[in-house]
Amino acid sequence: MAKGYWVVTGTIHTPLGMVPFINKFNAWLPTVGARLLIRDLQTDVREGTPGSVNIVVEFDSKEKAVTAYESKEYQELINLRLQHSDINLTITEELTNQDSN
């Protein structure tokens, strides 16, 4: 089964204001079987304007990534970061060997 991913880009306006979100988010990830693959807060952007934050979170499947996003717990977490950041979050699926043929 192909893994699912959250691909997150954006800008943090008030870093100290993000601390409650980050602490709760990091504690929540293992409860949904997810793991943080990339967290770069000073991304070297070469094209476009995605912001300086780049995060990739891995899930066992795209369905689990969608379920985690739609969960009550994550929807409550969103409110902790809204006033401190502008974030873009995309849910996607890995390319498997079968897909690349």
Side-chain angles (χ1 to χ4, degrees):
M1 177 178 291
K3 301 253 185 205
Y5 297 90
W6 287 4
V7 178
V8 182
T9 60
T11 302
I12 294 174
H13 303 293
T14 49
L16 289 177
M18 288 291 289
V19 171
F21 169 79
I22 292 167
N23 289 339
K24 289 183 179 189
F25 179 73
N26 287 336
W28 173 78
L29 284 176
T31 70
V32 292
R35 71 184 187 115
L36 194 58
L37 293 181
I38 297 169
R39 179 178 55 212
D40 187 348
L41 303 180
Q42 297 180 350
T43 302
D44 179 2
V45 177
R46 299 297 174 110
E47 294 186 33
T49 54
S52 60
V53 174
N54 199 1
I55 298 167
V56 176
V57 180
E58 181 182 69
F59 295 83
D60 289 338
S61 67
K62 185 175 183 180
E63 292 76 21
K64 288 186 178 186
V66 169
T67 299
Y69 182 84
E70 293 175 349
S71 71
K72 178 182 175 191
E73 295 84 1
Y74 186 71
Q75 292 303 305
E76 290 172 358
L77 285 174
I78 290 172
N79 291 322
L80 295 177
R81 70 165 166 75
L82 283 178
Q83 66 184 359
H84 306 291
S85 64
D86 291 315
I87 298 295
N88 302 296
L89 188 151
T90 304
I91 299 174
T92 190
E93 187 172 57
E94 80 178 316
L95 179 67
T96 64
N97 287 336
Q98 184 179 12
D99 294 334
S100 63
N101 292 330

